[in-house]
């Protein structure tokens, strides 16, 4: 979905922060944070995902003088280059985000994730003063971690390696791209790093684990925490792929926004580097544990069914966040139970649903 780039859609005479995918879940929260502090933000989004038009309307209503928008796809090279021409900084969040979709249409996945990223990098490289770019990568660049051994402890997997259990997966872990999605995001990740090395474009990569929080419209293919909550609040059945004991380190979107802002602020120190960004060992939780907490929030049993594991799924992924926390000066992340309560309240309110909850916050 593309639209002509009009002068009226831009922050005329200003140098905004360009956020591709800026009407999405993370993008909208980041745009709101920047605009609230007086920064001009240009939201570049194709508005294809359900709920993103509402996010953009919310942003414009809250910050009418700070938020401008271009409705265009990252495959539209002319619109993307024009939007990047005056940007003071870029956060590149726009992507095809589902492993399942990449298996159905790997060509489109490649064009959006790798082609769109390269187009953006080239637009920045051609400028005499390339602005900083922070790229949203993924923990999927490390593959399925099949060489590691895990044991099941109750309703969660745990690694046999005590160092991995204590700290999580570090940036020194070899890259191992699985599925077309892993290849397209991993290739883009490496291009972003190389444009710092080869061309001096100040870039930084954040390899994200599972981000959740308000303004997330989770689906079965992406955004599983919100998806589980939405289904539970609406009294609908939930399908779990795998045995539900797979573990992720979930991170509240407010903490993710703080990391992106810190990377932009410290780009001179962190350019050319990649960081693992997630909740870390303190927020490592299995799907079954999250489902149990959701059951306590909604106050009734959940209707669960189980299907086979999906391609490229990791039984355990927890980010080693020591490096990103130290280099970006990040505080400890929000405890996951508290964040889950907040997301449940927002989802219920946004849907006009009654939330009869007994809090599970620690």
């Amino acid at each position: 979905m593309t639209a002509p780039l009009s002068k009226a859609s831009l922050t005329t005479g200003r140098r905004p922060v360009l956020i591709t995918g800026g009407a999405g879940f993370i993008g909208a929260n980041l745009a709101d944070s920047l605009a609230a502090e007086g920064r001009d933000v240009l939201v570049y989004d194709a508005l294809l995902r359900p709920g993103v038009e509402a996010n953009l309307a919310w942003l414009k209503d809250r910050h009418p003088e700070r938020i401008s928008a271009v409705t265009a796809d990252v495959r539209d090279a002319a619109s993307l280059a024009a939007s990047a021409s005056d940007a003071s900084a870029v956060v590149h969040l726009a992507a095809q985000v589902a492993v399942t979709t990449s298996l159905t249409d790997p060509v489109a996945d490649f064009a959006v994730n790798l082609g769109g990223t390269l187009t953006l990098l080239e637009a920045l490289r051609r400028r005499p003063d390339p602005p900083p770019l922070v790229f949203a990568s993924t923990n999927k660049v490390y593959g399925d971690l099949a060489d590691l051994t895990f044991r099941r402890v109750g309703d969660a997997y745990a690694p046999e390696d005590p160092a991995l259990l204590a700290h999580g997966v570090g940036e020194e872990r070899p890259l191992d791209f699985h599925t077309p999605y892993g290849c397209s995001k991993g290739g883009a990740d490496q291009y972003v790093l190389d444009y710092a090395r080869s061309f001096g474009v100040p870039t930084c990569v954040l390899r994200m684990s599972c981000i959740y929080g308000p303004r997330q419209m989770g689906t079965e293919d992406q955004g599983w925490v919100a998806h589980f909550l939405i289904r539970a609040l609406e009294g609908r059945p939930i399908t779990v792929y795998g045995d539900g004991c797979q573990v992720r380190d979930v991170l509240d979107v407010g903490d993710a926004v703080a990391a992106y802002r810190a990377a932009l602020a410290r780009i001179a120190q962190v350019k050319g580097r990649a960081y693992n960004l997630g909740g870390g060992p303190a927020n490592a939780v299995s799907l079954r544990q999250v489902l149990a907490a959701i059951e306590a929030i909604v106050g009734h049993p959940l209707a669960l069914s189980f299907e086979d594991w999906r391609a490229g799924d990791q039984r355990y992924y927890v980010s080693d966040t020591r490096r990103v926390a130290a280099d970006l000066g990040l505080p400890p992340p929000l405890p996951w139970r508290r964040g889950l309560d907040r997301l449940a309240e927002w989802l219920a309110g946004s849907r006009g649903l009654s939330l009869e909850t007994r809090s599970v916050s620690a």
Side-chain angles (χ1 to χ4, degrees):
M1 178 178 181
T2 60
L5 191 69
S6 66
K7 292 182 179 179
S9 66
L10 295 174
T11 47
T12 307
R14 303 174 182 172
R15 298 192 64 212
V17 178
L18 169 64
I19 306 178
T20 69
F25 156 54
I26 298 175
N29 279 280
L30 176 59
D32 179 55
S33 175
L34 291 168
E37 293 192 358
R39 301 286 295 274
D40 294 312
V41 178
L42 176 57
V43 170
Y44 187 103
D45 203 298
L47 302 182
L48 297 178
R49 284 177 62 81
V52 295
E53 291 191 41
N55 283 346
L56 182 56
W58 172 77
L59 284 171
K60 288 183 173 181
D61 183 63
R62 284 172 61 83
H63 312 286
E65 301 300 319
R66 294 296 177 190
I67 300 291
S68 59
V70 172
T71 303
D73 195 294
V74 291
R75 290 170 289 189
D76 184 340
S79 290
L80 190 58
S83 297
S85 63
D86 294 319
S88 61
V90 180
V91 177
H92 184 33
L93 298 166
Q96 190 297 108
V97 295
V99 171
T100 50
T101 302
S102 80
L103 291 164
T104 302
D105 192 347
V107 174
D109 175 82
F110 172 90
V112 172
N113 289 351
L114 189 49
T117 300
L118 186 58
T119 297
L120 178 58
L121 287 168
E122 276 294 279
L124 300 182
R125 181 173 76 91
R126 288 193 293 266
R127 285 180 45 172
D129 59 337
L133 177 144
V134 181
F135 175 63
S137 187
T138 170
N139 60 28
K140 292 294 189 286
V141 301
Y142 298 116
D144 62 5
L145 308 179
D147 61 304
L148 302 177
T149 56
F150 304 99
R151 65 184 186 278
R152 183 167 167 175
V153 181
D155 54 5
Y157 287 108
E160 298 282 1
D161 182 348
L164 181 61
L165 178 63
H167 302 299
V169 176
E171 290 86 356
E172 71 282 355
R173 173 80 190 174
L175 302 181
D176 185 19
F177 304 158
H178 287 218
T179 75
Y181 172 78
C183 291
S184 65
K185 289 293 287 187
D189 173 313
Q190 293 299 287
Y191 264 100
V192 170
L193 294 177
D194 191 68
Y195 265 60
R197 179 170 51 238
S198 294
F199 303 115
V201 180
T203 66
C204 179
V205 168
L206 298 180
R207 294 170 179 160
M208 294 189 294
S209 191
C210 297
I211 315 300
Y212 71 98
R215 314 216 71 80
Q216 186 175 35
M217 312 297 180
T219 68
E220 193 170 67
D221 293 326
Q222 200 268 341
W224 63 273
V225 176
H227 172 65
F228 286 173
L229 265 171
I230 291 167
R231 303 286 288 193
L233 288 166
E234 295 178 347
R236 301 165 68 190
I238 296 171
T239 300
V240 178
Y241 293 90
D243 58 17
C245 295
Q246 54 265 54
V247 169
R248 300 291 182 268
D249 61 321
V250 296
L251 183 70
D252 182 79
V253 69
D255 293 316
V257 165
Y260 278 93
R261 296 196 58 175
L264 288 175
R266 301 189 180 198
I267 195 65
Q269 292 78 41
V270 303
K271 63 183 178 182
R273 299 181 189 175
Y275 295 98
N276 293 346
L277 178 66
N283 280 309
V285 62
S286 75
L287 272 62
R288 286 181 180 265
Q289 290 166 338
V290 171
L291 287 165
I294 291 173
E295 195 168 86
I297 289 174
V298 299
H300 60 75
L302 305 180
L304 303 178
S305 63
F306 292 82
E307 299 289 344
D308 289 340
W309 292 86
R310 295 194 285 194
D313 200 4
Q314 301 154 324
R315 278 166 172 71
Y316 181 95
Y317 183 87
V318 173
S319 307
D320 184 342
T321 58
R322 290 176 294 175
R323 187 176 299 176
V324 72
D327 287 6
L328 298 184
L330 303 179
L334 182 74
W336 72 269
R337 292 180 181 272
R338 197 178 307 160
L340 191 67
D341 273 347
R342 292 199 325 176
L343 177 55
E345 291 170 3
W346 182 82
L347 285 169
S350 68
R351 284 165 166 72
L353 300 172
S354 174
L355 180 61
E356 296 178 2
T357 176
R358 64 180 187 274
S359 175
V360 296
S361 294

